[in-house]
Amino acid sequence: MKTLQQIEAQAVCKDCARCDPKEQGLCCQNGSGLALKQDILDIANTFHLSEEDTLRIYFDEIERFGTKFYQPKQHKIPNRPHGPCIFFAKGIGCTIYSVRPTQCRIGTWGKASKENLQWFFDTYAVKRDIFAEQEYNRFKRCA
């Protein structure tokens, strides 16, 4: 099984060539990646906040495939299910780039995106029950 470092190495944003990440940031404009506990701690340290304050101010708790994750809040856009990540600033890009969430580091729209996202969920999402397993299998077929 590949390591996080190997997955990160193949997740090069320039692969997708769909946008200028600082201006358009298509990944960041259409949602936000999932964060692991270490990501939260790194972001908290960057802002000199407690873990609890960082979670309260910047993150929503969500569940994927029976596992709890934290996702950066998104600016809401009427009639759209997703909006820009709270950490995205037009002209700057990701304002926390050096400590961005793990899924953001590996889940670009590049050539390796599908494989990387599947690796993320295989590695970090614990399938606790049959319903989570079924949901995950549907995701793999559609991703």
Side-chain angles (χ1 to χ4, degrees):
M1 184 169 203
K2 291 184 179 180
T3 66
L4 177 57
Q5 290 76 21
Q6 290 169 318
I7 295 295
E8 281 184 271
Q10 68 187 34
V12 180
C13 202
K14 68 180 180 193
D15 281 349
C16 70
R18 291 183 185 210
C19 73
D20 172 355
K22 290 185 178 181
E23 289 299 320
Q24 295 166 306
L26 292 176
C27 294
C28 305
Q29 289 282 4
N30 293 293
S32 51
L34 302 179
L36 305 177
K37 182 166 181 69
Q38 186 59 52
D39 300 329
I40 302 297
L41 296 174
D42 291 343
I43 294 165
N45 288 335
T46 297
F47 289 131
H48 306 289
L49 293 172
S50 68
E51 179 182 357
E52 295 78 21
D53 285 344
T54 301
L55 287 170
R56 181 178 47 77
I57 296 167
Y58 297 110
F59 288 87
D60 291 322
E61 183 177 307
I62 65 164
E63 184 178 309
R64 292 288 187 272
F65 316 122
T67 302
K68 179 173 71 173
F69 288 101
Y70 294 96
Q71 184 174 39
K73 292 180 179 182
Q74 298 170 26
H75 298 289
K76 302 300 177 201
I77 297 176
N79 302 317
R80 290 193 53 205
H82 303 288
C85 175
I86 195 171
F87 295 118
F88 178 79
K90 193 164 179 75
I92 296 171
C94 179
T95 59
I96 60 163
Y97 190 82
S98 64
V99 292
R100 66 197 184 282
T102 297
Q103 191 182 25
C104 297
R105 293 196 316 259
I106 67 166
T108 67
W109 286 359
K111 296 173 186 165
S113 181
K114 181 179 177 181
E115 178 186 336
N116 290 0
L117 289 176
Q118 192 164 330
W119 176 89
F120 178 86
F121 289 117
D122 283 342
T123 303
Y124 297 111
V126 179
K127 296 108 184 133
R128 295 187 181 137
D129 58 41
I130 189 66
F131 299 111
E133 185 71 33
Q134 289 171 345
E135 180 187 8
Y136 181 64
N137 287 333
R138 280 192 303 275
F139 163 78
K140 288 194 309 188
R141 285 192 305 272
C142 296

